[in-house]
Amino acid sequence: MTKIFSQIVNLFGISKLFRSGSRQRPKLNISYADLDLTKNLSSTELDLIFAINEDSVIPANNLALKTQSQTIIDLHLEPNDQNMGNARFSHALSSADIVFSPNRKLATMLEKKLQRHIVISRHLTKQASVEKYIDLKKVYHLIEDTQLILFDANICHPFIAKPYDMLKHNLMFLAALLGDLPRHMHVVVTGGIEENNIFDKHKQLFEKHNCQSRIHFYVENLEAIKYPLDYSNIDIALLLSDQENHLPSQYFKYLHEEVPIFATKFADANQLILSADIGKIFDHQNSEIWAKEILELMNLSLVKRDELLEKIKTQKQHLNWQVEADHLMSSIMNVLDGDNSDKLTAAIVDLSDDQITDRAQNIGTLLVEQGFEVSILTPRLPVTLAPVGHNIEYIKVS
């Protein structure tokens, strides 16, 4: 079986799905470059404009000029060639007070192209403290000594042209991986309803490896289920990234929950996983090698497991919501006037085509906690709101 999975990948051309940079992303049919956002605002007295991702850069810059506001641009991917060749786009990047990047690899790339300093600010989501969790072993009627591996199917959505083909590819890998692991090990895949539908369509993948009873899909974020998963039952979390140039937000979730991470390569992986010694990084999806490494971790002595947990806790002290929030806020306050006795106002422009990004929500949450009045201008209003979201004004633009 050593080469079977890689042969399948080559046969169907699945390797083409692993795309680096933003050039391979599909072009959007909607252009917001000339959108006048002042028409959507009840007041144009703003202190700060945030542009989330490249599609928001030009309209956010226009808004900042009209309202005489400070401008911050937050990029999670390298801008595509068409935008980089656009004089208005380049001017907006060069004139912004701050350009944020979520990882060192992208920041270095942007500094060379833009000839300016890029500030690294991680894309963290605030993890609320709760008292009740969902025990997946009870959900799936598993015995206590069952070992659980977790994979979040949402990871491959925002960055590639055919995310559901990528999800199928990852399910193929999970099927091969389970086939190489002992029967007391199960995999739980998490995601939304769309991902669950794709999972159901490809259950035959697991039948071929005689492991269908050991793969489970748990639909997260349903209104009827308000409690997070109990990660104390999770032995390993998998990050099966679609490209190396971005930093998966799930990394921070798994770090917060203190779970060892096995991952394909992603931006800053050497620093965030290998240097911290909290998991393994692979440059391939050879299921036999992954299985061997997983078994090695699962069979660690209690002393070695405690040492691993201490390393995860140490890394968690370096990377958490509060540390990154303090860094981001100090950068923001440096570009605002020293005398800020009045309440500050901020508008976050997130013109992402599919949904409001986690980054917009995270920055909005942070600014509200710091006493800002916050508006998020977006073509996609959120379906549900976190408690802090009720203190944010969501404005639909078109």
Side-chain angles (χ1 to χ4, degrees):
M1 276 188 60
T2 309
K3 301 297 182 182
I4 292 179
F5 188 75
S6 60
Q7 289 172 351
I8 292 173
V9 169
N10 292 330
L11 178 63
F12 291 99
I14 295 174
S15 59
K16 294 179 182 179
L17 294 170
F18 291 84
R19 307 184 179 213
S20 60
S22 60
R23 295 179 184 86
Q24 300 292 342
R25 288 175 293 153
K27 293 182 180 179
L28 301 181
N29 294 325
I30 302 173
S31 174
Y32 295 104
D34 296 313
L35 185 65
D36 183 1
L37 294 173
T38 59
K39 296 179 180 179
N40 299 93
L41 297 170
S42 57
S43 171
T44 56
E45 294 184 3
L46 294 171
D47 298 293
L48 190 64
I49 308 292
F50 255 98
I52 304 295
N53 304 332
E54 61 184 300
D55 297 317
S56 307
V57 167
I58 295 176
N61 182 65
N62 294 340
L63 178 61
L65 291 174
K66 291 183 178 181
T67 58
Q68 297 183 336
S69 309
Q70 307 295 325
T71 312
I72 296 177
I73 296 172
D74 188 271
L75 297 174
H76 72 245
L77 288 174
E78 179 188 3
N80 62 44
D81 290 338
Q82 182 178 354
N83 279 331
M84 289 300 288
N86 185 323
R88 296 168 68 192
F89 185 86
S90 298
H91 173 74
L93 286 177
S94 62
S95 62
D97 294 280
I98 303 176
V99 178
F100 281 126
S101 161
N103 64 74
R104 193 171 306 280
K105 185 172 183 178
L106 177 58
T108 301
M109 189 184 305
L110 291 172
E111 284 183 341
K112 291 179 179 178
K113 287 196 171 187
L114 304 178
Q115 298 296 304
R116 64 164 296 165
H117 177 59
I118 306 298
V119 181
I120 297 175
S121 178
R122 308 290 186 186
H123 289 197
L124 272 65
T125 297
K126 187 173 185 179
Q127 305 289 338
S129 58
V130 295
E131 297 181 356
K132 187 173 181 179
Y133 293 85
I134 296 293
D135 186 337
L136 289 178
K137 288 188 178 180
K138 291 182 179 178
V139 170
Y140 297 112
H141 308 290
L142 304 176
I143 60 176
E144 189 58 35
D145 62 353
T146 302
Q147 292 178 312
L148 292 183
I149 300 170
L150 188 71
F151 168 65
D152 186 349
N154 282 306
I155 195 170
C156 57
H157 277 206
F159 303 104
I160 60 174
K162 297 181 179 180
Y164 295 121
D165 286 350
M166 187 66 221
L167 178 52
K168 178 183 176 181
H169 165 69
N170 284 331
L171 293 176
M172 290 172 64
F173 171 69
L174 292 176
L177 180 63
L178 271 176
D180 290 328
L181 290 172
R183 297 193 62 80
H184 67 277
M185 295 184 184
H186 290 231
V187 170
V188 177
V189 181
T190 60
I193 295 175
E194 287 182 291
E195 291 85 359
N196 190 25
N197 291 336
I198 300 299
F199 174 82
D200 287 338
K201 290 179 182 178
H202 299 297
K203 282 186 176 178
Q204 72 278 4
L205 296 172
F206 302 96
E207 294 175 2
K208 293 178 181 178
H209 292 271
N210 195 28
C211 59
Q212 187 173 9
S213 63
R214 296 162 52 214
I215 186 83
H216 316 278
F217 196 104
Y218 184 80
V219 180
E220 292 184 299
N221 304 321
L222 287 178
E223 189 63 26
I225 303 173
K226 298 182 182 294
Y227 305 114
L229 304 182
D230 182 359
Y231 279 81
S232 65
N233 285 330
I234 305 299
D235 295 280
I236 296 176
L238 304 184
L239 289 177
L240 305 179
S241 180
D242 54 273
Q243 61 169 308
E244 296 183 16
N245 292 332
H246 85 280
L247 200 169
S249 61
Q250 284 83 351
Y251 167 84
F252 301 106
K253 179 171 70 173
Y254 297 148
L255 179 64
H256 175 82
E257 301 293 350
E258 300 178 4
V259 182
I261 300 170
F262 278 38
T264 50
K265 283 188 174 181
F266 61 84
D268 298 350
N270 287 340
Q271 172 196 356
L272 299 179
I273 291 185
L274 293 186
S275 296
D277 197 15
I278 61 172
K280 298 284 184 180
I281 297 296
F282 302 86
D283 60 1
H284 56 76
Q285 286 193 353
N286 183 312
S287 61
E288 289 187 0
I289 295 177
W290 280 66
K292 180 181 177 181
E293 295 287 351
I294 288 173
L295 286 171
E296 185 176 316
L297 185 144
M298 296 289 198
N299 293 326
L300 288 177
S301 65
L302 291 177
V303 173
K304 291 292 185 181
R305 279 185 171 271
D306 288 342
E307 290 177 357
L308 177 60
L309 182 59
E310 285 303 312
K311 291 175 182 177
I312 296 174
K313 289 181 177 178
T314 300
Q315 179 72 349
K316 181 179 174 180
Q317 291 174 359
H318 295 308
L319 283 175
N320 57 62
W321 166 267
Q322 193 57 55
V323 169
E324 292 302 315
D326 291 344
H327 168 63
L328 185 139
M329 281 308 304
S330 64
S331 300
I332 291 174
M333 298 311 293
N334 282 339
V335 305
L336 295 174
D337 294 334
D339 182 14
N340 291 317
S341 55
D342 295 333
K343 194 175 184 70
L344 295 170
T345 58
I348 300 173
V349 183
D350 183 2
L351 302 179
S352 304
D353 190 50
D354 50 357
Q355 62 183 0
I356 299 176
T357 62
D358 288 341
R359 184 59 166 171
Q361 302 278 35
N362 294 344
I363 292 174
T365 299
L366 171 62
L367 293 175
V368 166
E369 288 184 347
Q370 297 297 320
F372 279 72
E373 290 183 356
V374 178
S375 301
I376 297 182
L377 294 92
T378 172
R380 300 286 182 266
L381 298 179
V383 178
T384 59
L385 292 177
V388 72
H390 295 291
N391 296 319
I392 297 174
E393 181 185 16
Y394 292 86
I395 302 173
K396 184 175 175 60
V397 300
S398 58

